[in-house]
Amino acid sequence: MDAWYVVFVAWPCFDLEAWHTSPIHLAKQFIHTTHDNFAGNISEIRSYGYRQLHVVLQKWTADYGDVFKYFTGRVGWVVVSHPDMVQQITGREFAHFHDRGLPVISVGGGKLKEFFNKQLLFVTGKDWEILRSSLQPVFQPKVLDQHAPEITRLAQELMGKFEKISQAGVSCNVYPQLAPYTLDVIGSTAFGVNFNAMDKGESSDIVQAAKYSFLPNLGLPPIVGLLSMVFPSLSSFILRVSALIWKDRVSQVQNGFTYIWGVAAALVKNVLDDLNQSHRYASGMPGNSGYDRGVECYHDEKPTEGSAIRNLVEAKNIMTGEQFSTIDIAATMYTMIAAGYETTATITSFSLYSLARYPEIQQKAYQEAKGLQNMDTMKYDELSERLPYISAVISESMRHYPPVTPIIALKREATRGAHVGNVAIPEGARVQFNVYQIHHDERWYKDPTEFVVERFLPSSPKYEDFKPKHKYAYLPFGAGGHKCIGYRIALHEAMICLSLILQKFTVSLDESMHPKGSELCCQSALTLVPDGGIWLKFEERMIQP
C-alpha cells in the first residue's frame, strides 16, 4: 500500500449513505455493494494492485458512468469523469471547491506539524487564497524567463551524463538521470544555490532527502495503509503507533523533510543578514538531525538575485502587508521541490519514451531541434514558437501519461453543497477528477489510444480532426485556481532538455525491458510513474549542429 495513498485518500471520513438525491441512482448498485462491505472497494482496488488507481477508475467509469462513488473502508469518494463537471467545479463553483480536502498532518507534532500545514498543498480557505496570490508574482513569466541561461547550462551538463552512457554502449533508466537534473534546476532557480545533485548523484544529501521525502509507504509496511482505510477514524492513532514500531524507517523519511527545511532556513537567514533584517529570522527544529544537517551544509551559501527564495523573503502577504516568516518561506520552498522534482522528471521521461517508441516522430522532432541555437537567451514563449513540434510531443505525452494523479493534486472538497451538472454534491464530499479517463475518452479524442502529435499542432491539416473536443478535456497540470503554479518552468525545462538530447543523440528503447508491441505499465503515486522505469539507449549522432 502506498502510504501517500493512505494519508491522502484513506484519512478523512464522511457518511455518504444519507446522500439520497436522484443522481445517486446512476450508480445505485455500486453504492449498495460497496457501502455494505466493511472494507468498501479495497478488495477491487487490490485486485489491480494498490498503485493502479487510474486503471481501476477507468474501468469503473465504463461500468458506472461519468459520476460515481467508491469507498476505501467507510470513506466515500465522488469521481468525476466529464469535462463539463470539471469546468464547473474549477470555475463557476470554485469558491465551494477550492480546498483539496487533504488532512491536517498531525504525525510529528509541534513545529513539524506547522511546517507541513503551511504548505500550499495543505492550506485551506482564505489562507490558501492569500498564499497563492502572494506567490503569484514569484511565478510571473518575466521572472521565470530570466532562468533560461541556468536551465540551459544544467541541461548541457546532463548531456555529459548521457554521453558517458552512450560511450559505454549500455541502456539506462532515464528517470534517475533526469531527477538530479530537475533538482539542480530547482536549486538554482528556486533556492538560488548549486545543489550539485548531478555531480554527487546518490551521495548527495539533497538527492537522499528528496528520495526519502517521496518514499513509497513513507517507510511503513502495507498493513498500515489497510488498517487506516478500514478504520479511518483511527488512522491518526494507527499512524502514530506505526511510527513508534517502525521508528527507523519513519526517521529516515522525517529527516528527508527536515533536511530540506534546514537548507531553506539557512538560506533565509543569509538573505535576511544581507538585508540587515536578522531580527525576522526564527529557527525551525534545532536538534533534529535532518534539520541540523541542512543548516550545516548551506550556512555559508548566499542565494542569487532573482531566486524564488530571495523574492519570497522580500515579498509580503497581500492581505496583511506583513512579510512572510521563516517557516512560511521554508514550507513554500519544500512545496517547490515536492511539486517540481518528480513532475518535471516524469514529464521528460515519458516524452523521451514516446520519441524512442516512434522513430518517425523522433526524426521530425530532430529536424526541428537540430539548427536551434542560443536557447539560453530565449524566453518560454519564444522557445515554444520555435519548437512547435517538440512542444506538441510533450503535450501528447502528457495526454497519454498525465503527470498528476487523483491522490493529491486532483482532489477537491465541497465546503458547502452544490449542484454540478445534474448531480447534487453535499457539503463535505470529497471529489476526484478522473483525468486519466478523460485523456483517453473517445468522446473527447479521436483514436485516443494512438499517439498523435498533431492533436496539439494547429498548423497541421490533422489538427481539426484530432484536437481535444472540449477545453477541459486536457488537464495535465489541473485547471482553475489550483492549476500548477510552476507549469511554465516545467515545460521550459523539458523543451530545453529534449532539444539538446535530440541534437546530440538518437534515442531507442531497450527491447529487453520494453519488448516490441508491449505497452508501458504505469503506477499511480504522487505522479503517474512507469512501473520498472523507462530504459533507453543513447547513440551519438554522427552530424552535430
Side-chain angles (χ1 to χ4, degrees):
M1 177 71 64
D2 191 317
W4 284 107
Y5 188 95
V6 172
V7 174
F8 298 117
V9 176
W11 198 307
C13 183
F14 62 92
D15 188 1
L16 285 174
E17 191 71 19
W19 187 22
H20 284 312
T21 55
S22 58
I24 276 296
H25 297 291
L26 293 172
K28 60 183 179 181
Q29 304 95 328
F30 190 52
I31 289 167
H32 293 329
T33 57
T34 57
H35 206 57
D36 292 340
N37 186 326
F38 185 68
N41 288 100
I42 289 177
S43 60
E44 291 101 317
I45 295 172
R46 184 175 178 274
S47 69
Y48 283 86
Y50 284 119
R51 298 185 74 186
Q52 293 287 304
L53 183 62
H54 61 291
V55 176
V56 179
L57 295 185
Q58 192 175 32
K59 176 186 180 299
W60 285 340
T61 302
D63 292 342
Y64 305 110
D66 286 331
V67 57
F68 59 88
K69 66 185 182 189
Y70 72 97
F71 293 85
T72 52
R74 304 294 286 181
V75 179
W77 300 95
V78 181
V79 177
V80 170
S81 306
H82 197 290
D84 282 346
M85 299 183 74
V86 175
Q87 182 175 11
Q88 188 175 344
I89 290 170
T90 60
R92 189 169 72 249
E93 299 290 345
F94 179 69
H96 311 314
F97 289 94
H98 58 63
D99 292 349
R100 283 197 169 96
L102 301 179
V104 175
I105 299 296
S106 58
V107 175
K111 284 283 188 178
L112 188 59
K113 176 181 175 181
E114 183 182 3
F115 171 70
F116 269 111
N117 293 304
K118 281 182 173 287
Q119 294 179 28
L120 193 60
L121 285 170
F122 295 91
V123 175
T124 61
K126 198 68 178 177
D127 290 338
W128 174 83
E129 293 178 27
I130 293 169
L131 180 57
R132 173 84 182 206
S133 298
S134 300
L135 292 177
Q136 203 67 49
V138 177
F139 290 90
Q140 289 297 315
K142 65 180 181 180
V143 176
L144 298 179
D145 284 339
Q146 69 183 339
H147 297 304
E150 193 64 11
I151 295 173
T152 305
R153 182 189 70 79
L154 291 167
Q156 288 168 337
E157 185 178 330
L158 176 64
M159 296 309 107
K161 301 289 184 182
F162 287 132
E163 187 173 346
K164 290 179 181 178
I165 291 168
S166 174
Q167 291 171 351
V170 297
S171 67
C172 71
N173 183 3
V174 292
Y175 179 85
Q177 308 300 322
L178 291 166
Y181 159 66
T182 63
L183 269 178
D184 278 342
V185 171
I186 293 169
S188 177
T189 62
F191 287 74
V193 295
N194 190 349
F195 281 162
N196 291 312
M198 282 190 286
D199 279 344
K200 296 180 180 179
E202 288 295 313
S203 66
S204 165
D205 286 329
I206 194 70
V207 169
Q208 288 298 308
K211 175 181 174 181
Y212 283 117
S213 291
F214 303 107
L215 191 69
N217 303 322
L218 296 181
L220 300 173
I223 187 62
V224 177
L226 183 61
L227 290 172
S228 295
M229 282 186 172
V230 175
F231 304 106
S233 61
L234 298 176
S235 59
S236 180
F237 173 75
I238 292 168
L239 288 171
R240 286 178 179 276
V241 171
S242 301
L244 294 174
I245 297 173
W246 291 281
K247 185 177 179 180
D248 290 343
R249 299 186 196 182
V250 173
S251 178
Q252 282 183 319
V253 175
Q254 187 181 86
N255 285 340
F257 300 142
T258 56
Y259 175 84
I260 296 170
W261 185 1
V263 171
L267 296 176
V268 168
K269 183 178 186 304
N270 293 340
V271 175
L272 291 173
D273 288 345
D274 283 350
L275 298 173
N276 294 317
Q277 297 179 12
S278 300
H279 62 279
R280 288 176 52 197
Y281 177 76
S283 186
M285 286 189 71
N288 174 276
S289 58
Y291 181 89
D292 289 345
R293 176 65 176 162
V295 171
E296 177 188 353
C297 289
Y298 288 87
H299 74 281
D300 287 331
E301 298 279 352
K302 296 292 180 74
T304 56
E305 293 294 333
S307 60
I309 195 166
R310 187 174 282 274
N311 290 339
L312 284 170
V313 169
E314 299 182 29
K316 294 183 179 180
N317 183 310
I318 63 166
M319 184 63 67
T320 66
E322 296 178 356
Q323 293 175 304
F324 292 110
S325 68
T326 303
I327 195 169
D328 289 332
I329 298 169
T332 300
M333 299 311 296
Y334 180 83
T335 301
M336 290 185 185
I337 288 184
Y341 165 58
E342 280 200 334
T343 305
T344 308
T346 299
I347 290 169
T348 311
S349 296
F350 281 127
S351 297
L352 280 171
Y353 171 81
S354 302
L355 290 168
R357 186 174 184 184
Y358 304 104
E360 69 284 0
I361 292 175
Q362 182 177 167
Q363 181 60 23
K364 291 179 182 179
Y366 165 66
Q367 291 298 325
E368 183 174 80
K370 70 176 182 179
L372 189 65
Q373 301 294 324
N374 302 318
M375 281 182 278
D376 58 337
T377 66
M378 292 185 190
K379 298 177 181 179
Y380 170 81
D381 288 337
E382 182 183 358
L383 192 64
S384 298
E385 290 174 7
R386 295 285 298 275
L387 298 173
Y389 193 82
I390 290 172
S391 180
V393 168
I394 295 170
S395 295
E396 177 67 345
S397 295
M398 291 192 295
R399 183 191 71 82
H400 262 267
Y401 311 106
V404 291
T405 71
I407 291 178
I408 295 184
L410 300 176
K411 293 170 65 174
R412 300 291 184 269
E413 180 179 7
T415 54
R416 81 176 195 187
H419 276 80
V420 179
N422 67 337
V423 177
I425 297 181
E427 181 179 349
R430 286 172 170 84
V431 177
Q432 292 179 327
F433 298 149
N434 194 1
V435 168
Y436 189 87
Q437 164 62 29
I438 293 173
H439 280 199
H440 293 81
D441 194 320
E442 61 185 9
R443 291 175 296 176
W444 320 121
Y445 293 96
K446 181 179 179 179
D447 300 333
T449 61
E450 299 298 316
F451 192 89
V452 182
V453 177
E454 289 76 11
R455 297 185 202 279
F456 300 96
L457 201 62
S459 62
S460 168
K462 293 182 179 181
Y463 176 70
E464 288 300 324
D465 284 342
F466 286 89
K467 69 179 182 180
K469 294 181 174 65
H470 195 293
K471 180 182 178 181
Y472 284 77
Y474 184 64
L475 303 160
F477 294 106
H482 273 296
K483 185 174 181 177
C484 176
I485 197 170
Y487 79 94
R488 283 176 64 102
I489 198 166
L491 293 178
H492 200 165
E493 193 176 334
M495 281 192 290
I496 290 174
C497 183
L498 289 174
S499 298
L500 290 177
I501 288 173
L502 287 164
Q503 287 179 355
K504 194 171 183 63
F505 304 100
T506 300
V507 185
S508 60
L509 297 176
D510 181 342
E511 293 187 2
S512 68
M513 302 299 293
H514 305 289
K516 271 188 177 179
S518 64
E519 294 296 327
L520 191 63
C521 182
C522 298
Q523 298 181 347
S524 293
L526 292 180
T527 57
L528 193 72
V529 295
D531 189 9
I534 292 174
W535 292 80
L536 303 179
K537 296 178 180 179
F538 291 79
E539 182 180 350
E540 286 196 70
R541 294 185 184 273
M542 297 300 294
I543 301 175
Q544 300 292 325

